[in-house]
Amino acid sequence: MSSKGKILILKLNGKLLSLLIRDNQILSIQVQKQNEYAVGNIYVGKVKNISENIGAAFVDLGQGYLTFLPLTEAKYAHVMNRKSDGRIKIGDEIPVQIMKEPMKTKLAGVTVLLSLSGKYAVVGTRRKEHPDGVQVSSKLNKKMQVRFREIEDLQKTAEQYQLIVRTNAGELNDDTPLLTEAHMLSEQLKHIVQVADKRTCYSCLYHGKPDYISFVENAYKAEYDEVVTDIAEVYGTLQEHLTGTDIPFRLYEDEMLPLHKLYAVEVRVKELLDKNVWLKSGGYLVIEPTEALVSIDVNSGKYEKGKNQEETALKINMEAAQMIAVQLRARNLSGIIMVDFINFKKKEHEKQIVEYMRSLLKKDSVTADVVDMTGLGLMEITRKKVNPSFREQYISK
């Protein structure tokens, strides 16, 4: 493999997987959802019930598929079957977009603030009080943020819509792909809003992209050099969405050696489902998700301990931190994560591992950070819940 990774889209055990793999290690993976009501889809829904106690409206998208809408968004709703007064009432018909898929006992989450996302930009309906101007990913440096905010064509789009420039735009040598995409997304969103009033309740106004297209668009271009699939139908969809972009893609056609065998995907997937993760030093992690939190224990394992136990602990803990950052992303672990590192005697080493872990988590596309070390010497990490964990996706689909 090259120094960069590859995005693979393939079938394994009847499941369609999208994965970013580098140096024989899965950095990120997603299972294609089969649910008709997919994240990103936009519907004309009907408000079935309102609960002031929990600040929610329950919106039916059809066939009794109930979703959760925060009442804080009520004033932004476009009510289609009566004059809008900034409130939501039972029976109201409103356009909503699915933002979160259902998880365990929780309903799918929807929003009335519609948006369309591309590789370089996100365009959405604006809150009236939202400040004008182009918003830029905080992961881009200050110089880039200023440059993107000063592009006149983007400023014009931001006068009508909420416009966010994504991290991937920082990899462009020419602003044309960004400007083209922002214009296309704004025109598409404008059309969706215009046709909404002419559609009946429970109509689908917009079908989101297949998960594997979103996976490609959300991946940092610096992490991979091409997208590869051995599925002709998927390749056709890639042609539709990626032709004209700077993303190389190809169809793998060696029937004697399927793509999943070429990259030992089945072995790598089994590793992600195992609770033990071995480190090169001979140490290992034990990762155990529970209902309340994720527990990660760092063990010295087969590491040959020298005379300096403090240096041994530092070496294993630094390697463990790097692997933990990879595993959180690949397994899509979220919520509260408690890490029991090998104990340090020196406070400066404890501070060193905290700062190192923070620097690693900044590279995660999902918001994650170190809260602190607890009184018991456990590192507390939080990671935003976006989708179910890989285990939940893979086992339940």
Side-chain angles (χ1 to χ4, degrees):
M1 295 178 69
S2 66
S3 58
K4 282 191 178 182
K6 294 187 186 297
I7 290 180
L8 309 179
I9 304 169
L10 49 81
K11 282 191 176 178
L12 182 69
N13 298 328
K15 298 175 176 65
L16 183 60
L17 304 180
S18 308
L19 58 138
L20 172 60
I21 190 167
R22 185 180 66 210
D23 297 332
N24 292 319
Q25 186 171 59
I26 293 175
L27 301 184
S28 183
I29 187 167
Q30 186 175 41
V31 182
Q32 175 78 30
K33 294 180 287 293
Q34 304 301 319
N35 188 357
E36 175 187 346
Y37 297 97
V39 170
N41 286 8
I42 300 175
Y43 297 88
V44 177
K46 179 176 283 189
V47 179
K48 285 294 186 181
N49 199 4
I50 294 173
S51 174
E52 298 284 352
N53 290 340
I54 62 173
F58 298 94
V59 183
D60 185 7
L61 303 187
Q63 305 177 63
Y65 189 82
L66 280 183
T67 60
F68 178 99
L69 173 70
L71 286 180
T72 51
E73 293 191 14
K75 58 185 175 181
Y76 307 117
H78 173 55
V79 182
M80 296 166 50
N81 56 335
R82 67 177 178 88
K83 187 175 180 180
S84 183
D85 60 2
R87 295 180 298 160
I88 286 182
K89 298 179 181 179
I90 293 174
D92 282 352
E93 297 176 9
I94 56 176
V96 293
Q97 183 172 26
I98 301 177
M99 299 302 291
K100 289 183 179 180
E101 62 179 281
M103 297 186 196
K104 296 181 181 177
T105 59
K106 294 184 178 179
L107 298 174
V110 294
T111 178
V112 297
L113 297 165
L114 313 180
S115 65
L116 301 178
S117 177
K119 185 168 182 63
Y120 307 114
V122 178
V123 175
T125 51
R126 271 180 45 192
R127 299 178 174 95
K128 290 180 181 178
E129 74 274 15
H130 199 285
D132 292 340
V134 178
Q135 295 176 273
V136 184
S137 167
S138 61
K139 292 183 182 288
L140 294 176
N141 62 47
K142 297 295 182 184
K143 186 177 180 180
M144 283 186 178
Q145 290 183 32
V146 171
R147 179 170 71 82
F148 285 128
R149 288 193 184 104
E150 292 179 347
I151 296 176
E152 189 174 343
D153 284 352
L154 294 181
Q155 290 176 345
K156 288 179 180 177
T157 301
E159 290 172 4
Q160 292 182 287
Y161 300 99
Q162 181 184 21
L163 175 64
I164 302 170
V165 177
R166 303 188 67 183
T167 305
N168 277 325
E171 299 163 358
L172 294 172
N173 296 319
D174 176 7
D175 293 334
T176 302
L178 167 63
L179 299 177
T180 301
E181 184 178 82
H183 176 73
M184 181 270 291
L185 292 174
S186 60
E187 288 298 308
Q188 194 174 7
L189 185 60
K190 179 180 177 181
H191 175 73
I192 291 169
V193 172
Q194 287 176 340
V195 302
D197 284 320
K198 303 178 180 65
R199 303 292 294 276
T200 58
C201 193
Y202 307 132
S203 295
C204 182
L205 304 175
Y206 171 78
H207 276 286
K209 306 163 189 171
D211 289 337
Y212 54 84
I213 295 296
S214 297
F215 186 90
V216 172
E217 291 182 340
N218 292 335
Y220 294 146
K221 187 64 176 65
E223 290 190 311
Y224 67 95
D225 54 19
E226 65 175 344
V227 181
V228 187
T229 184
D230 56 358
I231 306 168
E233 182 183 350
V234 168
Y235 179 72
T237 306
L238 291 175
Q239 286 180 306
E240 290 176 27
H241 288 269
L242 302 184
T243 299
T245 72
D246 64 343
I247 303 172
F249 60 96
R250 64 183 170 92
L251 179 64
Y252 176 84
E253 298 181 282
D254 187 346
E255 295 181 2
M256 299 297 290
L257 184 63
L259 198 56
H260 72 86
K261 287 191 178 295
L262 178 64
Y263 287 91
V265 173
E266 191 164 11
V267 174
R268 303 284 87 84
V269 165
K270 284 181 179 177
E271 290 174 349
L272 286 183
L273 298 174
D274 192 355
K275 70 176 185 178
N276 293 339
V277 180
W278 285 97
L279 306 174
K280 290 179 180 179
S281 63
Y284 65 98
L285 311 177
V286 180
I287 303 175
E288 297 187 283
T290 68
E291 284 292 323
L293 50 80
V294 177
S295 166
I296 302 179
D297 190 31
V298 180
N299 295 277
S300 57
K302 300 174 183 176
Y303 187 83
E304 295 293 333
K305 296 181 180 179
K307 293 180 180 179
N308 193 329
Q309 291 188 8
E310 187 72 3
E311 290 302 319
T312 297
L314 182 61
K315 177 179 174 61
I316 296 176
N317 284 341
M318 293 292 276
E319 186 185 353
Q322 193 171 27
M323 179 57 74
I324 287 167
V326 171
Q327 293 295 318
L328 292 183
R329 182 181 173 193
R331 297 176 186 232
N332 198 28
L333 300 173
S334 57
I336 299 171
I337 298 112
M338 303 300 293
V339 184
D340 187 5
F341 283 103
I342 298 171
N343 291 336
F344 288 123
K345 292 180 181 178
K346 296 181 180 179
K347 275 290 179 184
E348 60 262 34
H349 286 162
E350 188 175 282
K351 290 179 182 177
Q352 186 177 342
I353 201 71
V354 168
E355 291 309 309
Y356 183 55
M357 194 77 233
R358 283 201 172 113
S359 69
L360 292 170
L361 293 177
K362 284 180 182 177
K363 300 172 185 177
D364 197 329
S365 57
V366 174
T367 304
D369 198 8
V370 177
V371 177
D372 210 343
M373 298 292 283
T374 70
L376 296 175
L378 303 176
M379 180 183 288
E380 183 179 355
I381 297 172
T382 59
R383 191 170 184 270
K384 186 177 179 181
K385 183 100 176 175
V386 177
N387 290 308
S389 69
F390 172 66
R391 171 176 283 278
E392 291 172 308
Q393 292 179 46
Y394 192 77
I395 300 298
S396 65
K397 299 296 180 184

